[in-house]
Amino acid sequence: MIKQLFLSRTFKFHLLVWTIYTVYYTFLVKIFLHIPFSVSFIAQTILHRIGDIAFFYVVVFGVLNRYKSLGQIYFLFLIFIISAIIYITYSYFLEFYVFQFIKILPSNNPPVFEQLISRSVIQASNFTIYALGYYFAQRVIQQQIEIGKEKERNALLEKEKSHSEYIFLRSQVNPHFFFNTLNMIYENVRKINGAGDAVILLADMMRYSTSKTMRQDEVGLREELEFIDNFLNIQKRRFKNALLIDYQKEGDVQSQRIVPMVLFTFIENAIKHGMNDDPEFPLTIRMSIIQDRFTFMVHNRTNPKPHGFDKGETGISLEVLRKRLNAVYKNGGYSLTIDNLDEEFIVNFIVDFKEVKK
């Protein structure tokens, strides 16, 4: 940690600035006060500059970074008073004890207390101003960096959102599902076996999936669940006893809204890639909504074959789905966990409607 600090660009920059300041200040004192270079002069300069540097960082990191209410005038005045007292104490200790002890000051030129106070007050004032300027500049730079990062994050999310919306609109429902369902209706029409109900269900699904609401970030949760009910109803008609589903709901759906086609994607993938004809291991779906917390779980047995019941290209991948959720729920408030085990596939999707609205 310490090694990284000394090797950092920030440390090197600060070291360079303080070196330039020390050299510049030394030459100013030499030129205007006509003090020749000597060991005592250089020692005094270095020790005083160490005090300046320590004072500067104590004010910045020890005081200003701890107290954010800088708009209060009395607080700034208090900083100055304390800073001046600390600086006078340090200068007094140097002049009357350290320099006298190591015999840097000549005996015929003892320090004058009044001059020490006035000089210390001026230095304390200067470095308090420097510290305030550095602190505010640091805050402005940090804010600009955060604004830049936020813009980059928003731009990336918008890009991913646009891409995922394109995929959603292009393939909201697997086209093979419609073709297979129409074939099933044709067979039912020939046998006069529930064809009318199947046509109505399919029409409702097509009307919903091709409506303008699909272009929105969120749609009504009630409508999404009705779409799933219709889909499962048609699939049961198609596969009969070859598709066993255990679907249980808990709680009352009111005016909650959710990203469209999310729940449908979980179920479509489970039917497409799962083995769901075992009475002891049916396709399990659990939906619950308690207050503002919505939970949706899909659990199925995986099929070792390339395709399960419904062959054809899957409409929406889970990867694209996750990107769309991140784009819409920018502030979080949801969780999506996917467990792909040896013989099981489990999806848990949770939305806290209070959190996603923040």
Side-chain angles (χ1 to χ4, degrees), residues 63-292:
V63 180
L64 297 179
N65 277 352
R66 292 177 179 271
Y67 300 96
K68 306 300 182 182
S69 57
L70 298 180
Q72 300 174 355
I73 301 299
Y74 72 85
F75 177 72
L76 297 177
F77 181 73
L78 182 62
I79 290 176
F80 171 73
I81 296 298
I82 295 175
S83 302
I85 294 174
I86 294 174
Y87 200 88
I88 291 172
T89 303
Y90 174 77
S91 299
Y92 181 85
F93 178 74
L94 283 182
E95 298 282 351
F96 286 88
Y97 290 95
V98 177
F99 293 165
Q100 295 291 338
F101 177 76
I102 60 179
K103 300 185 185 309
I104 287 180
L105 292 176
S107 57
N108 60 351
N109 188 23
V112 180
F113 185 70
E114 290 78 7
Q115 294 179 357
L116 182 143
I117 292 178
S118 60
R119 187 171 65 245
S120 299
V121 170
I122 293 173
Q123 284 293 91
S125 303
N126 290 337
F127 279 92
T128 300
I129 295 173
Y130 298 158
L132 286 169
Y134 174 82
Y135 172 77
F136 284 115
Q138 189 182 45
R139 287 186 60 179
V140 170
I141 292 173
Q142 189 62 36
Q143 289 174 356
Q144 292 301 316
I145 292 174
E146 292 298 326
I147 291 173
K149 290 181 179 179
E150 184 66 22
K151 287 182 178 179
E152 290 180 1
R153 284 194 295 267
N154 290 338
L156 180 61
L157 287 173
E158 286 298 326
K159 182 178 179 180
E160 292 180 349
K161 177 182 175 183
S162 298
H163 179 68
S164 61
E165 283 178 347
Y166 168 73
I167 295 176
F168 264 72
L169 294 173
R170 187 186 65 184
S171 54
Q172 290 165 357
V173 180
N174 189 346
H176 282 74
F177 165 71
F178 284 131
F179 294 137
N180 293 334
T181 302
L182 289 173
N183 288 332
M184 180 269 295
I185 294 173
Y186 173 72
E187 293 296 327
N188 283 339
V189 168
R190 291 178 59 188
K191 299 175 184 179
I192 315 299
N193 182 20
D197 292 340
V199 170
I200 292 175
L201 290 175
L202 183 61
D204 288 341
M205 291 186 64
M206 294 185 69
R207 187 181 302 109
Y208 177 72
S209 63
T210 57
S211 64
K212 293 182 179 180
T213 57
M214 290 293 102
R215 301 180 184 180
Q216 301 175 3
D217 288 341
E218 295 177 304
V219 295
L221 178 59
R222 187 186 304 278
E223 288 74 17
E224 279 289 295
L225 294 175
E226 289 176 356
F227 181 84
I228 290 174
D229 289 340
N230 292 340
F231 175 74
L232 292 177
N233 198 333
I234 290 178
Q235 295 290 44
K236 289 177 182 179
R237 289 170 180 264
R238 287 180 57 198
F239 299 113
K240 296 183 172 58
N241 295 331
L243 177 58
L244 302 177
I245 301 175
D246 178 11
Y247 185 16
Q248 297 181 19
K249 303 177 184 179
E250 179 185 2
D252 296 326
V253 179
Q254 298 177 357
S255 59
Q256 297 88 350
R257 296 177 66 80
I258 196 169
V259 178
M261 292 297 174
V262 173
L263 310 180
F264 169 77
T265 302
F266 300 147
I267 296 177
E268 185 193 35
N269 285 337
I271 293 177
K272 178 179 173 59
H273 300 290
M275 291 182 62
N276 305 306
D277 56 351
D278 186 352
E280 296 184 359
F281 205 143
L283 171 59
T284 303
I285 305 172
R286 295 288 184 270
M287 187 285 291
S288 71
I289 181 164
I290 301 174
Q291 293 181 347
D292 287 309

Side-chain angles (χ1 to χ4, degrees), residues 20-85:
I20 294 173
Y21 166 76
T22 301
V23 173
Y24 172 74
Y25 190 89
T26 301
F27 274 97
L28 282 182
V29 172
K30 179 185 182 303
I31 293 172
F32 289 102
L33 299 182
H34 306 289
I35 300 176
F37 280 117
S38 63
V39 175
S40 62
F41 172 69
I42 294 174
Q44 289 181 65
T45 302
I46 291 175
L47 288 174
H48 276 298
R49 296 300 73 75
I50 290 175
D52 295 340
I53 295 170
F55 174 81
F56 174 84
Y57 287 115
V58 167
V59 173
V60 172
F61 298 105
V63 180
L64 297 179
N65 277 352
R66 292 177 179 271
Y67 300 96
K68 306 300 182 182
S69 57
L70 298 180
Q72 300 174 355
I73 301 299
Y74 72 85
F75 177 72
L76 297 177
F77 181 73
L78 182 62
I79 290 176
F80 171 73
I81 296 298
I82 295 175
S83 302
I85 294 174

